Amino acid sequence: ATTSLGAFVSRSYRRALGDIPAPRGCAAGVAAPGAARHAAPTGKPGEGLVEGDTVLLMGSLDAVGRSLITKLQDSGKYKLSTLLNPNVVTPFQNRYASINCIDATKAEEAKAELGKAAMVIMAFEKPADTDTLRYLLGYGAEGETALKRFVLLSKTGVTRKGNFGGGFLKNLFTKELDKYYDLEDLLQKGAEALKVDFTVIRSGNLRLGPDTYMIADSLAAAEEQLFDAKFKDIVVSTEDTEDGDTSRYDVADALYESMLRPEAANKIFSVLNKEGKAKPDWDTLFKSF
């Protein structure tokens, strides 16, 4: 579905990004890709969502994506669209009638939809192929666009993936952190080239979410319920120094709240749950950075 989009990436954008190899190595102590780029690429303060804006959501089939859909729909303020493989467009549209569902293989339609989007959210629970992000960034380089910001769901441990005892063991077989590292790096370079903003939200191990109480494995279901009973507090940090668990509902909240706030533009946040019962004050959390 994604490779058919490549023909529509502008030549100027290919020159800006296409030949830049994504870094593979990440030695101990190396900062996250682009971590120091906290000035808005446009030279202006970041922008948040305003009423009537369109949000293009990638990853709408995953539990985080569906939780984010609920947040956006409950607000009643924003238009929502998504790109899907052709075999799931109709059933998804039947379930979410208010969402504009686009067949991702129809590149011209996908390109037109991105031209309307104020924010593009990549909320996949597993790292997407970098080509998917590259094509989306390429659409942003085509003509007039309403685009303000790209938002990416990533994973804690990205900056520690070369540290034994840090992210090394977690990354050893799946290479998941390598993939997120590449996505973060490409996103920041792309945002800089397009003069749009970015936000990266790094989660811990994802827990809870829609349908998780329907898990067939009774032990796994019990672990989810135990997590739900104990872990409520949220810690938001601009550092990537620890791992842990994060509720999918809280990840969706963090993605949603970051979109509303100009101060979340051009920043990378880690979001982890800590044991407790406090409800997060998102204004305080984001403005503290």
Side-chain angles (χ1 to χ4, degrees), residues 40-177:
T42 57
K44 301 182 295 184
E47 295 183 78
L49 279 179
V50 297
E51 189 166 352
D53 277 349
T54 295
V55 176
L56 177 62
L57 174 62
M58 306 293 292
S60 53
L61 297 179
D62 290 340
V64 168
R66 285 181 284 134
S67 298
L68 185 55
I69 286 171
T70 300
K71 295 285 296 182
L72 289 162
Q73 288 185 324
D74 285 350
S75 76
K77 296 180 179 179
Y78 313 109
K79 302 170 187 173
L80 185 56
S81 60
T82 186
L83 303 184
L84 296 166
N85 288 327
N87 60 315
V88 295
V89 169
T90 299
F92 194 87
Q93 189 74 81
N94 290 339
R95 180 174 179 178
Y96 296 104
S98 63
I99 298 176
N100 190 16
C101 300
I102 306 298
D103 182 342
T105 64
K106 296 180 178 178
E108 288 287 4
E109 292 183 19
K111 177 181 167 183
E113 194 61 31
L114 189 133
K116 304 173 190 174
M119 292 208 183
V120 177
I121 317 301
M122 290 189 68
F124 296 107
E125 293 189 11
K126 296 293 182 183
D129 190 285
T130 51
D131 278 348
T132 301
L133 177 57
R134 195 181 298 275
Y135 297 148
L136 289 170
L137 289 166
Y139 286 167
E142 298 281 346
E144 293 297 320
T145 177
L147 188 60
K148 300 175 182 178
R149 198 191 312 172
F150 271 86
V151 181
L152 173 69
L153 174 59
S154 186
K155 189 73 84 175
T156 57
V158 165
T159 66
R160 294 172 284 115
K161 68 188 185 71
N163 298 6
F164 192 82
F168 179 79
L169 293 178
K170 184 163 66 172
N171 191 53
L172 184 60
F173 298 108
T174 66
K175 302 299 180 185
E176 184 177 79
L177 295 179

